[in-house]
Amino acid sequence: QVQVVESGGGSVQAGGSLRLACAASGYTNRYYYMAWFRQTSGKEREGVAAIDSIGGITKYADSVKGRFTISQDSAKKTVYLQMNTLKAEDTAMYYCAASSSTTRFAYILRPSEYPYWGQGTQVTVSS
C-alpha cells in the first residue's frame, strides 16, 4: 500500500521561503509522477508542481513559475518543493500526491490523476 507523508509547512512573511518535503513508500511502479497541490477554503484543489520519478520532467502552474522549484531524491523516494518569494496568495493547505503508472504528462497537474494523497501541511504567508 502506497503511503505519502508531507512535512515542512509553517508560517512566513511575504517574500520569505519555505521548503516542503514529501516521502512516498510502498510504491512498486518504477515510473510515476509526484506532485504538489494546494487548496484554500471554498476553492478547488489546484495543481502547483509535478515531477516524474526519474527527475527529468517537471511541470508548474503559471502562478508559481520562477518562484517554486520541485525536485526529487529518487533513492529516498522524497520530493521537495522549494518555495521562494512567497506571497500572501500562496497561503493554503499543501498536499503531496503520487500518481498511478498510467498518468499522462498532459494531465499531471490534475488532482484526478492521483490516487495516493498525503494528509496535507499548512503554509501561511503574512503580508
Side-chain angles (χ1 to χ4, degrees):
Q1 184 175 356
V2 177
Q3 291 188 321
V4 178
V5 179
E6 307 101 332
S7 61
S11 297
V12 66
Q13 289 191 330
S17 299
L18 282 174
R19 189 175 83 152
L20 307 182
C22 172
S25 62
Y27 231 107
T28 57
N29 296 327
R30 179 178 179 273
Y31 193 79
Y32 54 92
Y33 293 98
M34 292 187 70
W36 288 96
F37 294 82
R38 64 187 182 187
Q39 189 171 23
T40 55
S41 179
K43 291 190 176 181
E44 292 187 354
R45 195 164 292 189
E46 171 194 23
V48 174
I51 190 168
D52 70 333
S53 55
I54 300 174
I57 296 174
T58 59
K59 192 171 187 178
Y60 295 90
D62 289 342
S63 58
V64 306
K65 281 181 182 176
R67 300 188 298 122
F68 290 12
T69 302
I70 189 169
S71 61
Q72 60 99 12
D73 183 332
S74 58
K76 296 181 179 179
K77 290 194 171 141
T78 299
V79 172
Y80 304 96
L81 185 67
Q82 178 66 43
M83 305 184 293
N84 297 329
T85 320
L86 282 161
K87 306 175 181 179
E89 51 263 43
D90 294 318
T91 295
M93 184 71 78
Y94 282 71
Y95 297 90
C96 181
S99 79
S100 68
S101 60
T102 59
T103 300
R104 289 171 289 178
F105 176 76
Y107 306 136
I108 62 172
L109 289 182
R110 294 185 182 183
S112 58
E113 295 295 310
Y114 292 81
Y116 310 109
W117 291 84
Q119 78 287 354
T121 184
Q122 178 68 35
V123 171
T124 302
V125 184
S126 57
S127 56

